[in-house]
Amino acid sequence: MSESKVYFTNLRSKPSLGLLKKLEVLVKKAGIETIDFDHKIVAIKVHFGEPGNMAYLRPNYSAQIVRFLKTKKLFLS
């Protein structure tokens, strides 16, 4: 089995690069723009746990991914 690539960013932010922008940079680095979404259904898992748990995904993070996909015309609303 081949090794998986892991992409990581810390939670430090600057006025010029907030957390939501860092998330967009991270998914671009991971190669989201190279995926062929043409004529395919895109699902985004938006719930990994409850607030306060380590695996909770904040709604604004999934909203950022949806906005990004819409700008690339990879996502139909």
Side-chain angles (χ1 to χ4, degrees):
M1 177 183 283
S2 63
E3 292 182 5
S4 298
K5 288 185 180 181
V6 176
Y7 296 88
F8 168 82
T9 188
N10 61 40
L11 295 177
R12 294 185 185 124
S13 61
K14 300 176 184 175
S16 61
L17 187 64
L19 287 177
L20 295 178
K21 185 63 179 174
K22 285 182 85 168
L23 175 62
E24 185 177 321
V25 170
L26 184 68
V27 296
K28 284 181 181 179
K29 180 84 171 170
I32 196 167
E33 294 179 304
T34 64
I35 299 171
D36 177 19
F37 289 107
D38 195 31
H39 301 291
K40 295 182 176 75
I41 295 172
V42 176
I44 299 173
K45 186 172 182 176
V46 295
H47 184 70
F48 297 115
E50 298 296 328
N53 290 346
M54 295 299 291
Y56 176 69
L57 179 66
R58 294 180 184 170
N60 58 333
Y61 294 160
S62 57
Q64 180 70 12
I65 298 298
V66 170
R67 282 191 295 271
F68 171 75
L69 292 174
K70 283 183 175 181
T71 65
K72 299 299 179 188
K73 300 195 182 352
L74 301 174
F75 189 96
L76 298 175
S77 52

